[in-house]
Amino acid sequence: MVKAIYPGSFDPPTKGHVDIVTRACALFEKITMGVYDAPPKDILFSTRERVELLQEAVSHLPNVEVRPFSGLVVHLAHQVGAKVVVRGLRPGYDFDYEFEMALMNRKLDPDIEIVVLMSALEYQFISSSRIKEVAQLGGNVEDFVPKNVLPALKAKLQAPVSQTGGKVSSKWISAV
Ligand code: COA
């Protein structure tokens, strides 16, 4: 059986991510979820927090491990002996983005194969940013995030900027 990695920002992990890795589990011997430490977007949770949230959210899946990574996705694949990069695909915008990323990753390492799983119907319209926005405005996001993420999200959005370790974007933090 083949090993795979599933890289992402996971800020925070969503039920959409858990759905993808759960389905990927049936296809691969082992899956390493790589939490990218420096995504080019406004981040709410530190890398350590994202790793911990994800570890708890997928702790019921025996062949999944979670680790932080920096640098290229293809280097992470080499480090863990994986030949496949798993990604989830939602309708619309995701296709061009994923296609471009897949081509670049194949160019960087032609031995790597990209496997894309279609997002489950109920999670096609969610993203981590949308969830943060709705939660920040007081909306209920419990249908979209794993159980352990909900309290973490609430606590983080209410924390003063000084308690975020200074690494996360103040965009998401409400002043108290
Ligand atoms: N259900 C719901 N939402 C989903 C989803 C699913 N199944 N799959 C993805 N999403 C959402 C995420 O929540 C995220 O939302 P956000 O943009 O609002 O935060 C968005 O789709 C993007 O997904 P994510 O999986 O977090 O990936 P990313 O676009 O943040 O990319 C890496 C992260 C790690 C893959 C990318 O930055 C990378 O490859 N970095 C390493 C450097 C490198 O190798 N560069 C060259 C690569 S070509």
Side-chain angles (χ1 to χ4, degrees):
M1 283 264 280
V2 177
K3 289 183 186 165
I5 60 168
Y6 178 17
S9 306
F10 306 113
D11 183 52
T14 69
K15 285 188 179 175
H17 295 127
V18 176
D19 166 61
I20 295 291
V21 75
T22 303
R23 287 156 53 204
C25 268
L27 304 174
F28 301 103
E29 174 194 349
K30 183 174 177 189
I31 301 187
T32 300
M33 297 186 81
V35 177
Y36 188 41
D37 75 340
K41 48 188 163 189
D42 290 312
I43 286 295
L44 176 61
F45 292 96
S46 69
T47 306
R48 198 172 127 200
E49 288 168 332
R50 286 180 284 137
V51 168
E52 286 172 359
L53 287 173
L54 196 52
Q55 272 168 340
E56 201 177 333
V58 299
S59 59
H60 59 293
L61 301 170
N63 55 338
V64 175
E65 68 159 15
V66 179
R67 62 158 76 178
F69 81 102
S70 51
L72 292 173
V73 159
V74 292
H75 290 166
L76 174 67
H78 276 277
Q79 278 164 25
V80 302
K83 289 266 176 240
V84 172
V85 177
V86 171
R87 296 285 293 166
L89 192 71
R90 296 160 302 165
Y93 164 82
D94 268 359
F95 181 78
D96 289 348
Y97 178 68
E98 293 298 333
F99 198 69
E100 186 252 351
M101 232 174 9
L103 291 178
M104 178 57 82
N105 280 326
R106 292 289 314 279
K107 180 75 184 162
L108 291 168
D109 185 343
D111 289 337
I112 297 286
E113 204 52 74
I114 318 298
V115 170
V116 172
L117 299 181
M118 303 300 160
S119 227
L121 188 60
E122 61 269 47
Y123 306 131
Q124 298 213 340
F125 60 97
I126 63 168
S127 68
S128 297
S129 299
R130 190 66 70 208
I131 286 169
K132 285 180 284 193
E133 180 191 357
V134 171
Q136 190 181 33
L137 296 172
N140 183 359
V141 295
E142 68 177 339
D143 284 349
F144 309 125
V145 292
K147 268 197 170 60
N148 64 309
V149 171
L150 196 60
L153 196 52
K154 282 184 183 161
K156 184 66 98 170
L157 289 170
Q158 283 162 8
V161 176
S162 59
Q163 284 176 20
T164 64
K167 281 194 156 183
V168 297
S169 170
S170 57
K171 173 180 171 181
W172 298 111
I173 314 294
S174 47
V176 286

